[in-house]
Amino acid sequence: VLKDNTVITVAGASGDLAKKKTFPALFGLYNNGFLPEGIRIVGYARTKMDEEDYHKRVSQYIKTPIPAMKQKLEEFLKICTYVSGQYDQDDGFEALEKELKKCEESYKDKEAPKNRVFYMALPPSVFTVVAANFKKHNYSEGGINRIIVEKPFGKDLESSREMQVGLKKEWKEEEIFRIDHYLGKEMVKNLLVLRFANVMLDASFNKNLISNVQITFKEPFGTEGRGGYFDEFGIIRDVMQNHLLQVLSILTMERPVSFSAEDIRDEKVKVLRYIPEIKPEDVLLGQYVAKDDKPGYLDDETVPKGSICPTFAACVVHINSPRWEGVPFILKAGKALNEQKAEVRIQYKDVTQGIFKEITRNELVIRVQPNEAVYLKMNSKAPGLAMRTVPTEMDLTYKRRFSDLKIPEAYEALILDAFKGDHSNFVRDDELDIAWKIFTPLLHWIDNEKPKPAPYPYGSRNAEGFDEFLKTKVGYQRSEA
Ligand code: BG6
């Protein structure tokens, strides 16, 4: 655990990710007293700016709804300094080193080891060179060093491996924290507990009782000026290969030997290894088009003309393990749809030889966001003199059940874990590798064959053809999300 004597350097401090996620999370932790005492935060980026400008940027997305927080923000800004420099030149990192040393002079215990955390909120093009420069110029001998890295981790298996080799030339796996922010979401963290602390759920999680599972990600907005980045990656790389596959692996892994990070990640890797690579016929691709006053994907000026980049994808994944063989898992992700939603929907099989007519299937729904909830759909007798069945829900809505508890932000939870040195909710190198293996042949097929995605109007529930796709792949017609 990093207690005192810690400096965190945020590389890419003037970028979007740092402004929108990293600094608000750091402030959230600071505000609640979770950061090591005496922590200092140094921003590093190419943009030249003075401290006032920098502080404006840092606080841009930080919300301070109560006066006490405003005061805390003032305090927080005092520990935030900035150094500008290039990503591939020594002098920038030398200037950074000076600043880090200056910060460390403020420590009470001058003799204690100096800990340094490096947060990489950077585009992939400079990722390896910055990691190497941090190691060369800014590594603390005798202290604890950690590097937090953000996706995209490459574009396919090969580029990901290249990137990891570059990173691991300088940094040990135990020093590396690869963020997939879905692993910091409260409901994703609850998956382990739901599975392994509830005998009835665990016992029902298998091919004998479950018909199919749908893991869905929907957003009600399009690329909105972020098309340049998005177009290079597409929805499969942006959301599915990482966030949705992570959820899938936790949901379906066997019980880990212990709650330790390595035991958990061993099981995740093992279940992922049972997944064969995804074939083109198991995928439905879509791209949104304009509707009313909402622009289409190709109307975004940052998107190359005529791009075939998918903004929607649904694919069926199989896990050929004894527990899951034959159960289709539908991963679905789309931008510019009708709502924001991330959920897992586990649909049980029909009651066999039922004595009741017209009953619906049991479903366990785990809603990751918004409005976290777990609910189980089950049939009940409608109260009254007649014998009539009605579909009902056992409903655990967090807002009601845990109204007095705050749900932490994913980034806060993850940064705190990195400070604690807990890798459970970070992606291990072999996990990343196997995730790319599953999707790379499909991604190369899309890149080479350039299949035209099905157009769907902005704000649709799904891309056109999804219901049909689901029916053929799952053999059942209903989907809520
Ligand atoms: C990011 C993707 O990883 O996740 C974005 O790059 C996406 O495109 C975002 O919008 C979704 O995260 P959240 O936490 O808002 O569901």
Side-chain angles (χ1 to χ4, degrees):
V1 180
L2 303 183
K3 281 195 186 129
D4 313 329
N5 298 357
T6 301
V7 185
I8 175 165
T9 302
V10 180
S14 59
D16 243 27
L17 177 71
K19 275 190 300 191
K20 290 187 180 153
K21 301 286 184 191
T22 320
F23 285 113
L26 285 170
F27 174 69
L29 290 170
Y30 180 81
N31 187 39
N32 291 305
F34 285 124
L35 289 184
E37 216 186 304
I39 177 100
R40 298 289 301 264
I41 302 169
V42 181
Y44 184 81
R46 281 175 305 197
T47 317
K48 283 208 164 63
M49 55 186 152
D50 60 21
E51 199 164 278
E52 197 183 331
D53 275 348
Y54 176 61
H55 285 172
K56 252 190 223 144
R57 268 188 210 228
V58 166
S59 40
Q60 200 179 339
Y61 288 94
I62 295 177
K63 294 193 187 83
T64 50
I66 50 172
M69 279 175 90
K70 277 205 179 73
Q71 209 180 325
K72 265 280 183 213
L73 178 59
E74 293 294 308
E75 239 178 65
F76 176 74
L77 292 177
K78 286 200 187 110
I79 61 162
C80 292
T81 52
Y82 179 75
V83 176
S84 76
Q86 298 301 313
Y87 292 132
D88 55 356
Q89 287 166 18
D90 290 335
D91 51 355
F93 293 89
E94 283 157 15
L96 174 65
E97 182 60 19
K98 270 196 202 134
E99 178 61 24
L100 295 178
K101 289 233 165 73
K102 205 166 109 197
C103 291
E104 285 163 353
E105 276 163 22
S106 68
Y107 293 155
K108 278 187 217 130
D109 181 355
K110 300 272 181 282
E111 301 309 312
K114 297 172 176 59
N115 305 320
R116 292 183 176 179
V117 177
F118 299 91
Y119 191 113
M120 310 267 279
L122 287 171
S125 51
V126 293
F127 185 94
T128 315
V129 65
V130 174
N133 274 324
F134 277 153
K135 181 68 194 283
K136 182 171 163 203
H137 297 281
N138 312 117
Y139 195 84
S140 163
E141 294 304 333
I144 296 173
N145 293 272
R146 290 187 180 143
I147 184 159
I148 305 178
V149 295
E150 286 268 359
K151 77 168 189 49
F153 305 122
K155 291 187 73 177
D156 58 8
L157 182 60
E158 209 190 352
S159 50
S160 160
R161 279 190 177 160
E162 221 172 85
M163 212 163 161
Q164 296 314 312
V165 168
L167 184 61
K168 294 199 5 173
K169 240 200 272 163
E170 313 288 349
W171 295 84
K172 294 195 270 297
E173 182 66 21
E174 74 229 40
E175 293 174 324
I176 303 172
F177 291 76
R178 291 181 199 82
I179 286 201
D180 181 310
H181 78 287
Y182 266 59
L183 294 178
K185 291 192 187 266
E186 189 61 33
M187 193 53 90
V188 175
K189 288 163 102 176
N190 190 18
L191 288 174
L192 270 183
V193 182
L194 287 176
R195 278 273 320 268
F196 300 116
N198 292 296
V199 70
M200 21 93 71
L201 287 189
D202 191 33
S204 76
F205 266 47
N206 60 61
K207 63 184 179 196
N208 301 325
L209 295 183
I210 289 178
S211 152
N212 66 83
V213 177
Q214 296 178 36
I215 304 179
T216 299
F217 166 94
K218 292 171 111 181
E219 264 178 355
F221 44 84
T223 47
E224 258 105 271
R226 208 170 143 249
Y229 156 79
F230 188 84
D231 201 81
E232 225 191 290
F233 291 88
I235 194 77
I236 296 177
R237 292 181 176 97
D238 191 41
V239 171
M240 197 176 269
Q241 177 269 353
N242 36 58
H243 306 328
L244 299 193
L245 200 63
Q246 281 294 333
V247 171
L248 175 75
S249 66
I250 302 174
L251 188 76
T252 56
M253 70 183 189
E254 295 301 314
R255 187 175 69 201
V257 175
S258 79
F259 201 52
S260 78
E262 294 324 318
D263 284 341
I264 292 172
R265 298 192 298 179
D266 283 349
E267 289 306 332
K268 285 169 72 187
V269 169
K270 190 159 163 221
V271 76
L272 290 174
R273 289 177 57 207
Y274 278 113
I275 301 177
E277 56 190 48
I278 295 162
K279 301 203 174 63
E281 59 268 29
D282 284 335
V283 180
L284 173 74
L285 302 174
Q287 188 184 79
Y288 64 92
V289 294
K291 168 92 192 288
D292 303 330
D293 59 334
K294 297 288 189 188
Y297 179 67
L298 296 178
D299 300 326
D300 183 332
E301 277 173 6
T302 54
V303 168
K305 298 268 160 292
S307 164
I308 53 105
C309 174
T311 60
F312 175 100
C315 68
V316 54
V317 172
H318 287 281
I319 303 175
N320 293 331
S321 69
R323 182 188 289 274
W324 294 113
E325 58 193 350
V327 179
F329 289 81
I330 307 288
L331 305 187
K332 179 173 98 182
K335 295 208 169 249
L337 291 171
N338 60 330
E339 59 180 342
Q340 194 207 7
K341 187 180 268 185
E343 70 168 31
V344 177
R345 183 170 294 264
I346 298 157
Q347 193 169 74
Y348 286 85
K349 289 191 171 171
D350 285 319
V351 173
T352 51
Q353 298 167 5
I355 52 172
F356 298 108
K357 300 269 174 318
E358 290 174 15
I359 52 175
T360 56
R361 288 179 169 186
N362 292 135
E363 274 185 3
L364 176 67
V365 181
I366 301 163
R367 191 162 62 228
V368 176
Q369 66 187 34
N371 193 11
E372 292 84 349
V374 181
Y375 56 95
L376 178 64
K377 293 193 170 191
M378 47 191 276
N379 297 293
S380 296
K381 178 184 170 304
L385 295 177
M387 176 50 89
R388 191 166 63 81
T389 61
V390 62
T392 53
E393 284 106 36
M394 292 221 300
D395 183 358
L396 166 63
T397 293
Y398 272 34
K399 273 200 188 119
R400 269 202 302 272
R401 178 63 180 77
F402 303 119
S403 56
D404 51 338
L405 296 179
K406 181 181 174 290
I407 295 177
E409 286 297 322
Y411 271 91
E412 288 183 26
L414 292 176
I415 293 174
L416 190 60
D417 280 350
F419 274 92
K420 286 183 185 154
D422 180 355
H423 274 95
S424 312
N425 294 313
F426 293 88
V427 183
R428 203 166 65 186
D429 52 352
D430 52 345
E431 216 180 329
L432 181 63
D433 209 69
I434 193 95
W436 277 120
K437 262 191 196 151
I438 295 168
F439 280 96
T440 293
L442 172 73
L443 291 164
H444 284 174
W445 175 79
I446 297 173
D447 293 344
N448 297 330
E449 300 300 319
K450 309 205 183 318
K452 202 168 169 342
Y456 62 96
Y458 198 119
S460 305
R461 222 170 135 245
N462 281 302
E464 216 179 282
F466 177 73
D467 289 343
E468 198 52 38
F469 174 84
L470 196 64
K471 209 151 132 193
T472 31
K473 298 300 176 194
V474 172
Y476 194 72
Q477 69 291 6
R478 252 191 55 212
S479 105
E480 294 292 326

